[in-house]
Amino acid sequence: MNNNIKITTFVLGLMRTNTYLVENQSDKTCFLIDPATQSDNIVEYISQQGLNLKAILITHGHFDHIGGAHFFKEKYGAQIYMHKMDIDFIDNPLEFGRKFPKFEVDITVEEGDIIQLCGQKIKVMHTPGHSLGGVCYVMEDVVFCGDTVFKNGYGRYDLRGGDVVALQDSIKRIFDLQGDKTLLCGHGPSTSLVYERACSSMI
């Protein structure tokens, strides 16, 4: 990882979702991944560090990963990136009784897209299985993998748009990435490609 890049994790909401803030400490730009809820802690951090929030990247459309998107978009003018196949969740969330303000997606992402943000090249991997439009965001030695892979586990496939075969295929593609990378998961601790390749029972 570039020495100027810092990743801070905020655990938010009832589902204890990992919301990641990625900052370039040189130019003071940053982006969020999966803002679960409005968060005073994130606002305070951005203010204290003098950061400019450029974008919000969504790994998938479940309520516990997008609940704060409207707030941060409105407050900072950040652009929202999301796969088109999960946009339906904004108007038709999963029925868990959770409500969140609706928002517009600025840029739809697809397999193989390269996003240039905060001095970083971020590759989009379309990784369906947990949802139709689930994606991973791949940086040099880090993968933001949403709810596709967890430490010693993997995402649910019994929710709307879930598919166990697609999930298996997606996990295999993640494991096929070269070398070792840190996997920053949607919930729980981080893990690594080397560890999960050795331990996973999904493949």
Side-chain angles (χ1 to χ4, degrees):
M1 179 70 68
N2 186 314
N3 289 334
N4 293 325
I5 298 299
K6 179 181 178 182
I7 300 173
T8 304
T9 306
F10 298 85
V11 181
L12 303 179
L14 293 176
M15 304 296 289
R16 298 189 59 77
T17 303
N18 291 328
T19 294
Y20 298 102
L21 188 146
V22 182
E23 63 181 285
N24 184 320
Q25 295 178 298
S26 293
D27 66 12
K28 296 296 185 178
T29 59
C30 66
F31 60 92
L32 280 175
I33 296 181
D34 288 355
T37 64
Q38 178 178 333
S39 169
D40 292 339
N41 288 339
I42 294 178
V43 171
E44 182 179 3
Y45 184 90
I46 289 173
S47 176
Q48 287 179 344
Q49 301 301 317
L51 301 176
N52 180 9
L53 182 66
K54 292 288 191 180
I56 298 163
L57 276 54
I58 305 295
T59 63
H60 64 288
H62 292 167
F63 72 90
D64 55 320
H65 291 256
I66 65 174
H70 177 273
F71 170 80
F72 288 104
K73 177 181 172 68
E74 291 298 307
K75 183 170 181 64
Y76 297 102
Q79 291 191 313
I80 295 179
Y81 293 71
M82 187 175 180
H83 195 282
K84 62 184 178 181
M85 294 180 75
D86 266 15
I87 290 177
D88 178 65
F89 281 116
I90 298 171
D91 290 323
N92 301 291
L94 295 176
E95 296 301 323
F96 289 109
R98 307 301 300 164
K99 303 294 183 183
F100 55 85
K102 295 178 181 179
F103 57 89
E104 295 292 328
V105 173
D106 299 289
I107 299 171
T108 57
V109 299
E110 297 182 1
E111 167 69 28
D113 284 353
I114 302 294
I115 302 170
Q116 301 272 0
L117 276 177
C118 304
Q120 297 296 297
K121 290 184 178 180
I122 306 156
K123 184 175 181 179
V124 177
M125 288 183 66
H126 182 208
T127 49
H130 182 62
S131 69
L132 290 173
V135 300
C136 293
Y137 296 104
V138 183
M139 293 171 60
E140 182 179 355
D141 55 5
V142 170
V143 182
F144 298 94
C145 53
D147 289 359
T148 301
V149 177
F150 300 120
K151 185 171 185 179
N152 297 316
Y154 43 83
R156 293 176 62 172
Y157 49 82
D158 59 336
L159 302 173
R160 189 173 81 231
D163 184 296
V164 63
V165 175
L167 185 62
Q168 288 175 315
D169 289 343
S170 292
I171 293 172
K172 184 178 186 304
R173 290 185 59 233
I174 294 170
F175 287 0
D176 285 344
L177 292 169
Q178 292 186 347
D180 194 15
K181 293 181 186 291
T182 299
L183 303 179
L184 296 178
C185 311
H187 306 272
S190 63
T191 183
S192 72
L193 276 175
V194 166
Y195 179 85
E196 296 304 324
R197 286 185 192 119
C199 297
S200 177
S201 61
M202 187 68 172
I203 304 303

